[in-house]
């Protein structure tokens, strides 16, 4: 079974902190994604990566950056956390276009 | 702009009945459509993918239809069980892009 693992289930950070969310997948998937999920808004794409060191902005990249130094690992960075970044963050991977996505368990981030 | 609509109201049905969930979309011509299940506080789990040239797809008790003329997909769970209670998300995708567009989901509750 494909496994996508996010480093934390719950995080509480202070406003202005730099926050790192880590994601690792074990099935050699090319594509990895970071979404945030908020009530009534659904999943919104922050960034995605289709290869090592390659990244593209999604629909809401402001305030975030990403890093993909190894194929299996995709990190989301909140440069200076703000309260409006309190959300559920979901990492996903897919083997290619037109295939189902495999999601991690999610990280519930609270910024105070 | 592209839009996906899923019934935001919860659907309550009796155990053993068939649950039918709807996904409508506008301003988009997807090459494929996916359905996911999401339990509270968890990441979505991929269930089924149906392509634009397929009318229907089945997997165990699940059936998905895809009508590109009506711009609609129906998701059926036959012989529903309380364990099927969850939120179900639909997502659209297209060739040439890695992005999926997710609906906000419909919450299903199967009553024993």
């Amino acid at each position: 079974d494909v496994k996508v693992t996010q480093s934390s289930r719950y995080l509480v950070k202070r406003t202005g902190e730099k926050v790192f969310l880590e994601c690792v997948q074990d099935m050699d998937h090319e594509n990895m994604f970071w979404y945030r999920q908020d009530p009534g808004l659904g999943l919104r794409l922050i960034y995605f990566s289709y290869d090592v060191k390659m990244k593209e902005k999604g629909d809401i990249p402001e305030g975030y950056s990403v890093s993909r130094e190894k194929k299996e690992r995709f990190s989301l960075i909140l440069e200076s956390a703000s309260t409006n970044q309190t959300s559920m963050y979901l990492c996903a991977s897919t083997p290619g276009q037109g295939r189902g996505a495999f999601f991690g368990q999610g990280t519930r981030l609270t910024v105070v | 702009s592209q839009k996906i609509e899923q019934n935001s109201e919860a659907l309550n049905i009796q155990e053993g009945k068939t649950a039918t969930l709807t996904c409508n979309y506008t301003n988009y011509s997807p090459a494929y459509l996916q359905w996911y299940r999401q339990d509270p506080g968890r990441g979505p789990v991929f269930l089924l993918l149906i392509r634009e040239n397929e009318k229907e797809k089945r997997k165990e008790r699940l059936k998905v239809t895809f009508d590109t003329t009506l711009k609609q997909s129906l998701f059926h769970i036959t012989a529903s069980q309380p364990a099927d209670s969850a939120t179900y998300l639909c997502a659209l995708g297209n060739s040439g892009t890695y992005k999926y567009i997710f609906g906000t989901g419909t919450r299903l509750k199967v009553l024993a």
Side-chain angles (χ1 to χ4, degrees), chain B residues 26-90:
Chain B
T26 55
N27 299 324
Y28 200 71
S29 296
Y32 52 89
L33 186 147
Q34 306 169 63
W35 284 90
Y36 292 80
R37 170 188 172 133
Q38 187 174 24
D39 292 289
R42 299 285 179 174
V45 174
F46 170 69
L47 297 174
L48 279 168
L49 182 148
I50 185 166
R51 300 188 187 279
E52 60 179 335
N53 60 351
E54 299 173 312
K55 295 287 186 191
E56 181 180 298
K57 204 152 195 182
R58 292 175 185 259
K59 180 183 176 182
E60 298 171 353
R61 294 185 295 113
L62 308 180
K63 184 178 88 170
V64 172
T65 63
F66 191 12
D67 189 325
T68 55
T69 302
L70 291 179
K71 293 187 182 292
Q72 180 182 78
S73 174
L74 299 178
F75 177 78
H76 307 272
I77 306 175
T78 57
S80 60
Q81 305 164 0
D84 295 325
S85 299
T87 296
Y88 291 86
L89 309 174
C90 72

Side-chain angles (χ1 to χ4, degrees), chain A residues 9-43:
Chain A
R9 285 292 310 278
Y10 301 96
L11 273 180
V12 180
K13 296 292 182 181
R14 295 199 177 276
T15 301
E17 275 193 79
K18 192 167 185 175
V19 181
F20 293 85
L21 302 183
E22 305 285 343
C23 175
V24 177
Q25 51 96 0
D26 66 359
M27 282 300 289
D28 204 36
H29 284 175
E30 302 289 335
N31 309 315
M32 296 188 74
F33 305 81
W34 275 105
Y35 292 89
R36 64 177 282 178
Q37 185 176 31
D38 300 288
L41 295 177
L43 274 77

Side-chain angles (χ1 to χ4, degrees), chain A residues 9 31 33 35 37 40-43 45 48 50 57 59 88 90 94 97-101 103-105, chain B residues 32 34 36 38 40-46 49 51 89 94-104:
Chain A
R9 285 292 310 278
N31 309 315
F33 305 81
Y35 292 89
Q37 185 176 31
L41 295 177
L43 274 77
L45 181 64
F48 66 99
Y50 51 89
K57 294 179 181 179
D59 299 316
M88 170 72 109
L90 291 160
T94 71
Q97 290 182 14
R99 309 283 293 274
F103 282 84
Q105 76 275 31
Chain B
Y32 52 89
Q34 306 169 63
Y36 292 80
Q38 187 174 24
R42 299 285 179 174
V45 174
F46 170 69
L49 182 148
R51 300 188 187 279
L89 309 174
N94 223 332
S95 53
T97 176
Y98 297 98
K99 294 185 183 182
Y100 302 151
I101 302 172
F102 280 85
T104 53

Side-chain angles (χ1 to χ4, degrees), chain A residues 3-7 21-25 32-34 67 70-76 90-93 102-104:
Chain A
K3 196 161 184 186
V4 179
T5 304
Q6 295 182 228
S7 52
L21 302 183
E22 305 285 343
C23 175
V24 177
Q25 51 96 0
M32 296 188 74
F33 305 81
W34 275 105
S67 172
K70 293 185 178 181
K71 192 174 187 179
E72 67 270 18
R73 188 179 296 270
F74 192 34
S75 303
L76 179 70
L90 291 160
C91 175
S93 72
F102 295 85
F103 282 84

Side-chain angles (χ1 to χ4, degrees), chain A residues 34-85:
Chain A
W34 275 105
Y35 292 89
R36 64 177 282 178
Q37 185 176 31
D38 300 288
L41 295 177
L43 274 77
R44 293 181 291 166
L45 181 64
I46 304 171
Y47 267 97
F48 66 99
S49 169
Y50 51 89
D51 202 351
V52 175
K53 298 191 187 293
M54 305 302 288
K55 60 187 179 186
E56 283 201 25
K57 294 179 181 179
D59 299 316
I60 51 163
E62 295 78 20
Y64 303 95
S65 62
V66 291
S67 172
R68 193 163 180 205
E69 296 296 318
K70 293 185 178 181
K71 192 174 187 179
E72 67 270 18
R73 188 179 296 270
F74 192 34
S75 303
L76 179 70
I77 303 146
L78 284 66
E79 299 292 342
S80 176
S82 64
T83 54
N84 64 11
Q85 292 179 309

